[in-house]
Amino acid sequence: MRTNEDSPSWVEQLVSARIGIGHAITRTPSRAGEPRVHLCSVEAAPLGPLNSLPPRRNCGGAGLTPEEALRSALGELLEGYCASFMEPKNILFGTYRQLRNHHEVIEPERFALFSDRQYARPGFPFQRFSDDAPLSWVWGYSLVRRKPILLPASRVYMPCLTRPGEADIGHTLSTGLGAGPSRERAILSGLYECLERDAFTLFWMNDLPVRRIDLRGASRATPAGRVFLEHLAVPGHEYRAYDITHDLGVPTTYTILSCQTFQGPLHVVGAASRLDGSQATLKALLEAVQGKPYVLWQLQRHAGWKPAADFSNVTDFSLSCMLYTAVRELTPHLLGIDQRVSAELTLDALPRWEPTDATTELEELVRRLEAQGYEALVVDLTTPDIRSLGLTVVRVVTPELQPLHADHRWPFLGGKRLYEVPVRIGARAERVKEEQLSRYPHPFP
């Protein structure tokens, strides 16, 4: 999130041990022998109408300067805060079949949720999102149709307050939350995350081939190369970067950071999407560096934990992010991506997007989604107190894009893209069957 760096009063209005939406700020400056990246975390206060814990209890951020790291952490804080306020007066209750007679409503079949095979499994906890599923709905705005539209509230709020008899169509994730100094910047933040998770999940679940991005050949003559060499390339830290861009053509980079720690070898991943490929790569590298202390903490917190043979106890991101470090015999699967490299390219060879205004950048992303017949929905979550600071928080919902699951027991296997995109990009000759998808949990935090 970009904000005015010279706004101490703005920070003081958000973070306070007594009345802030954040309790305390912890700064971790870069240390000798470590990547020259600043880390920051903000402890979130209990929030929302139920005084519940926010979806992100500790909100973290990374940056090349202390200000960048603080802004990033505060952005996460704002997203969780605003997403927890579900105003009953803004909610309509009913089925798609009932509401479509009088309102513009998003079609249930657009959502990439679960497969017929999953719904038929005994004990499956979620209900099918059908035309007759009783749900709470909230007004959003379609960036494609350019008009207001109703969408399920459970895809928007965290936590989502449900009514008796309401269908549970699937767990809600934080993907698509975005904060910024303008509506356009906030939407871009949320939309890029949706695109990143879609690209990564398609790659991971299908074991797709990738192109390796050669970081060793980075040049100080380019902005991206200079940042990598001056801030990230330190002895003892090995970075792997891969181009996992797919049919939508939005550059997406997946990275793996490997290094030695007091707990032994550590492997942390990151990913990012941007219209500029080098910026996507730098963002993905920063995500990996930011995840290093978090994964170390999870290893301590879950000391002695072992996955079940079918990985059925990998039930949230805190476990998936440490899996390939905690279980050494699984590490080769994480690093085995090198065996699927189809080509190599430099940072300079990645697609470029000349810096421009946020409106033009957003229009380009929406154009690419619209060309595929996909939707992009936005719900403004900004609470009055946050709006008074000149900030905006939104939820972006992209129904057709492939979501990344948190619980390995319940992956989203009902989306068309999961099966069609590998064929569309020429990575497979025919659609895979559901049982042919990767059985290994993803490594995301």
Side-chain angles (χ1 to χ4, degrees):
M1 181 187 67
R2 300 178 184 176
T3 61
N4 184 351
E5 295 181 13
D6 302 316
S7 300
S9 61
W10 179 87
V11 175
E12 290 170 1
Q13 293 181 65
L14 293 178
V15 183
S16 165
R18 297 183 61 188
I19 60 173
I21 67 173
H23 279 166
I25 297 173
T26 302
R27 301 174 187 266
T28 306
S30 59
R31 295 182 172 90
E34 294 283 325
R36 288 176 278 280
V37 173
H38 295 267
L39 304 178
C40 181
S41 65
V42 181
E43 180 188 354
L47 308 173
L50 298 181
N51 197 38
S52 59
L53 291 177
R56 297 163 177 161
R57 191 71 179 94
N58 287 287
C59 305
L64 303 181
T65 66
E67 293 78 13
E68 287 181 2
L70 177 60
R71 292 200 305 271
S72 177
L74 290 175
E76 278 206 355
L77 178 72
L78 292 175
E79 291 165 8
Y81 174 69
C82 291
S84 69
F85 285 91
M86 181 178 173
E87 289 285 353
K89 65 181 181 180
N90 297 333
I91 303 300
L92 280 70
F93 188 80
T95 68
Y96 170 78
R97 193 182 303 278
Q98 292 168 339
L99 295 174
R100 69 179 180 182
N101 294 324
H102 306 286
H103 304 288
E104 190 81 20
V105 190
I106 191 67
E107 301 85 352
E109 64 269 16
R110 285 182 175 269
F111 283 80
L113 294 172
F114 305 104
S115 67
D116 291 340
R117 185 180 179 189
Q118 288 177 292
Y119 287 122
R121 187 181 305 164
F124 190 71
F126 304 113
Q127 290 77 55
R128 191 184 297 271
F129 185 14
S130 67
D131 291 1
D132 297 306
L135 294 171
S136 295
W137 302 75
V138 63
W139 283 106
Y141 184 82
S142 168
L143 298 175
V144 174
R145 306 183 201 191
R146 297 167 181 83
K147 57 183 177 182
I149 191 168
L150 286 169
L151 67 154
S154 64
R155 304 302 92 193
V156 176
Y157 297 101
M158 296 181 71
C160 182
L161 307 179
T162 58
R163 298 192 184 190
E166 182 168 350
D168 184 356
I169 61 173
H171 41 272
T172 307
L173 302 172
S174 62
T175 301
L177 290 172
S182 68
R183 180 176 181 271
E184 291 76 15
R185 286 293 176 193
I187 295 173
L188 278 172
S189 177
L191 184 52
Y192 272 131
E193 187 175 45
C194 292
L195 291 162
E196 166 218 309
R197 297 302 171 95
D198 170 82
F200 171 78
T201 310
L202 294 179
F203 146 76
W204 183 266
M205 297 291 287
N206 283 282
D207 293 324
L208 294 178
V210 296
R211 298 191 300 172
R212 181 190 289 114
I213 301 171
D214 178 19
L215 297 174
R216 293 167 298 181
S219 168
R220 281 188 169 80
T222 65
R226 184 166 58 253
V227 169
F228 175 74
L229 293 172
E230 295 180 359
H231 291 270
L232 301 172
V234 296
H237 288 66
E238 179 185 4
Y239 299 93
R240 296 173 173 87
Y242 307 95
D243 175 25
I244 58 171
T245 307
H246 296 321
D247 61 319
L248 294 175
V250 179
T252 303
T253 298
Y254 168 58
T255 60
I256 305 174
L257 165 62
S258 299
C259 59
Q260 285 289 338
T261 71
F262 64 91
Q263 295 201 44
L266 181 74
H267 306 282
V268 191
V269 306
S273 294
R274 294 291 186 272
L275 282 174
D276 185 278
S278 63
Q279 292 305 310
T281 302
L282 288 179
K283 173 64 173 173
L285 290 167
L286 281 175
E287 291 284 332
V289 173
Q290 178 183 339
K292 181 180 175 180
Y294 177 75
V295 175
L296 285 171
W297 175 57
Q298 295 300 340
L299 288 167
Q300 292 178 301
R301 181 181 172 214
H302 298 286
W305 176 86
K306 294 294 182 183
D310 61 354
F311 302 112
S312 57
N313 60 343
V314 183
T315 53
D316 60 42
F317 290 115
S318 70
L319 296 171
S320 61
C321 74
M322 70 174 203
L323 176 64
Y324 296 95
T325 291
V327 186
R328 302 298 183 200
E329 56 266 33
L330 292 178
T331 303
H333 181 76
L334 179 72
L335 304 183
I337 183 175
D338 280 332
Q339 300 173 13
R340 306 202 306 274
V341 170
S342 61
E344 189 168 290
L345 68 164
T346 64
L347 275 172
D348 289 346
L350 292 169
R352 296 185 180 182
W353 176 262
E354 295 300 326
T356 184
D357 61 282
T359 300
T360 303
E361 191 172 350
L362 180 57
E363 288 174 348
E364 175 61 21
L365 292 176
V366 173
R367 183 191 67 78
R368 299 190 188 200
L369 290 170
E370 188 175 7
Q372 297 286 349
Y374 298 155
E375 263 291 1
L377 313 173
V378 177
V379 179
D380 192 330
L381 301 175
T382 318
T383 55
D385 52 342
I386 301 306
R387 194 179 303 279
S388 70
L389 299 177
L391 303 171
T392 300
V393 178
V394 302
R395 164 78 81 168
V396 178
V397 178
T398 50
E400 294 91 351
L401 297 193
Q402 178 63 38
L404 179 66
H405 53 278
D407 192 326
H408 185 67
R409 296 171 298 172
W410 322 122
F412 298 105
L413 302 181
K416 296 179 180 178
R417 288 179 55 77
L418 193 56
Y419 309 94
E420 294 178 353
V421 170
V423 178
R424 190 179 303 162
I425 64 175
R428 294 192 185 278
E430 57 184 13
R431 288 170 53 116
V432 298
K433 296 179 180 179
E434 184 176 320
E435 57 269 26
Q436 293 176 303
L437 296 170
S438 176
R439 73 176 190 90
Y440 290 93
H442 66 75
F444 256 58

